[in-house]
Amino acid sequence: MSLKDKLPGQLGFGTAPLGNMFRAIPEDEAQATVHAAWDAGVRYFDTAPFYGSGLSEIRLGEALKQYKRDDYVLSSKVGRVILDEVEDAAARDLGEKSGVFEHGRPNKIVNDYSADATLRSIEDSLKRLQTDRLDIVWVHDIAQDFYGDQWLEYFNQARTGAFKVLTRLREEGVIKGWGLGVNKVEPCELTLDLSEAQPDGFLLAGRYTLLDHERPLQRLMDSALAQNVEIVVGGPYSSGILAGGSHFEYQQASPEIIAKVEQIKRIAAAYNVDIKAAALQFSLANPAVAAVIPGASKPGRIAEDVAALSAIIPAGFWQAMRDAQLVSERAPLPIDEVKA
């Protein structure tokens, strides 16, 4: 059974913003956003202990507890254990993502991908989420952006710990699937090359977007498709820059990125295309992609995401993007599906 068969549709809700990503979100606003997603028909919710030191899970659990558990799919992540001990959230060393959750809870975060830590992480997540099970579990951030030159050490810890535990839990029917939840392509490629690990998919954030997609097209997308390992695209708006924000890769966008976005905006304006629609439909045009999970911190954003998924985009827009070399010539586009 493929990941597409496990997910209820192509649009999910990435709840990193509920962990107070970039700003402190009022509790009522966070709750209203989850309920707006539900009312819009979204039935796949993704979270992680890392998002605000458990805050995203707590808020999501509070919102979802009124709905029947069998009516939605829930994924969270392992690799970080949240302690009762507190620390200065703004002073954490998060590699390239420093400061992302400085408005989250101050609970100390411990990086640990061992077997015991994986089981503890899942148990703690279930308590915060007020639920009895997770459907999908992603191994979180075993990549260069968080661990620099040490990332392979963490990867190997996960390979001998988390990977084996999650494989067993899947075989026992405790979870429906597992994979990596990362912002880099290399850990996914490395996992596909392992004979002992058979993930169901990857949650790849920010790497297969309208703005940034060249690297996974070199090998990952074809290899994943060949092994029936499908991709959930996280961060389809490239941390917000494609949705009217100012962040790219969780930091303030560079002048070069801003200039590229302006080029896309000009073509979009010429064809009366909403960039959010182009972003979601671009990612989903790749046959290896099972779903997209944009994040949101305001209820109104959810309706925009749902509308973007079904918006009609003229073929001329995609051809203009290709002609301007703003999308890779190797990237499947919605017009290619029509031709097929």
Side-chain angles (χ1 to χ4, degrees):
M1 184 183 293
S2 72
L3 196 60
K4 289 179 182 177
D5 296 323
K6 297 179 176 74
L7 297 176
Q10 294 183 310
L11 180 67
F13 179 22
T15 67
L18 301 186
N20 282 353
M21 176 184 275
F22 301 131
R23 70 181 181 96
I25 301 170
E27 187 63 32
D28 58 348
E29 189 173 309
Q31 295 297 312
T33 302
V34 178
H35 293 307
W38 186 274
D39 292 342
V42 174
R43 294 295 183 271
Y44 171 39
F45 300 86
D46 175 73
T47 185
F50 180 64
Y51 302 155
S53 291
L55 181 59
S56 172
E57 289 185 321
I58 291 169
R59 285 173 159 174
L60 183 61
E62 186 63 27
L64 291 180
K65 69 179 183 181
Q66 66 177 268
Y67 304 116
K68 293 181 179 179
R69 181 62 185 86
D70 290 344
D71 289 347
Y72 62 91
V73 169
L74 182 62
S75 64
S76 192
K77 305 180 182 71
V78 295
R80 271 68 171 255
V81 176
I82 311 302
L83 306 182
D84 292 332
E85 180 184 345
V86 299
E87 61 185 357
D88 182 357
R92 292 180 182 130
D93 180 8
L94 303 179
E96 298 174 12
K97 308 298 187 294
S98 294
V100 173
F101 291 108
E102 63 182 354
H103 301 289
R105 297 199 309 163
N107 295 64
K108 188 173 182 178
I109 300 173
V110 177
N111 302 317
D112 193 338
Y113 298 87
S114 66
D116 288 345
T118 298
L119 291 170
R120 177 180 172 180
S121 180
I122 292 173
E123 183 178 341
D124 290 348
S125 289
L126 293 177
K127 292 176 182 177
R128 288 188 291 264
L129 287 161
Q130 302 184 57
T131 188
D132 62 347
R133 67 188 186 276
L134 298 174
D135 297 297
I136 300 169
V137 177
W138 308 111
V139 182
H140 208 186
D141 290 330
I142 41 175
Q144 309 93 305
D145 52 336
F146 276 93
Y147 300 119
D149 293 339
Q150 290 183 296
W151 79 273
L152 284 172
E153 296 176 25
Y154 284 96
F155 182 92
N156 282 322
Q157 185 185 54
R159 181 179 61 82
T160 58
F163 289 12
K164 291 185 176 181
V165 168
L166 297 177
T167 296
R168 175 172 59 80
L169 292 179
R170 181 183 61 193
E171 291 172 350
E172 294 172 351
V174 177
I175 61 175
K176 295 178 180 178
W178 71 274
L180 308 189
V182 291
N183 301 286
K184 296 292 184 181
V185 170
E186 290 82 2
C188 301
E189 294 179 338
L190 197 57
T191 302
L192 287 176
D193 289 338
L194 296 174
S195 59
E196 74 271 23
Q198 296 180 325
D200 298 273
F202 299 122
L203 198 175
L204 184 62
R207 290 286 70 74
Y208 197 74
T209 73
L210 187 65
L211 191 58
D212 183 4
H213 53 266
E214 191 69 52
R215 181 67 180 82
L217 284 170
Q218 293 172 9
R219 175 171 173 249
L220 175 62
M221 305 307 273
D222 288 343
S223 296
L225 191 62
Q227 296 188 39
N228 198 32
V229 177
E230 291 162 331
I231 310 294
V232 173
V233 172
Y237 303 137
S238 291
S239 298
I241 190 71
L242 288 174
S246 60
H247 289 94
F248 174 74
E249 281 293 273
Y250 308 99
Q251 304 295 332
Q252 288 295 318
S254 68
E256 292 78 14
I257 290 295
I258 292 172
K260 187 174 181 180
V261 172
E262 289 302 316
Q263 283 184 277
I264 296 173
K265 284 182 177 178
R266 284 193 290 272
I267 295 176
Y271 289 90
N272 195 29
V273 168
D274 175 14
I275 292 184
K276 294 182 75 171
L280 296 190
Q281 293 185 35
F282 170 81
S283 295
L284 288 169
N286 194 301
V289 173
V292 290
I293 53 167
S297 60
K298 295 181 180 179
R301 303 295 189 201
I302 302 295
E304 294 176 7
D305 294 336
V306 173
L309 205 64
S310 58
I312 304 299
I313 298 179
F317 167 79
W318 295 114
Q319 192 58 55
M321 289 286 288
R322 187 171 272 167
D323 292 344
Q325 298 183 330
L326 289 170
V327 293
S328 170
E329 62 181 14
R330 293 179 293 177
L333 298 179
I335 52 172
D336 301 327
E337 293 179 351
V338 171
K339 290 176 182 177

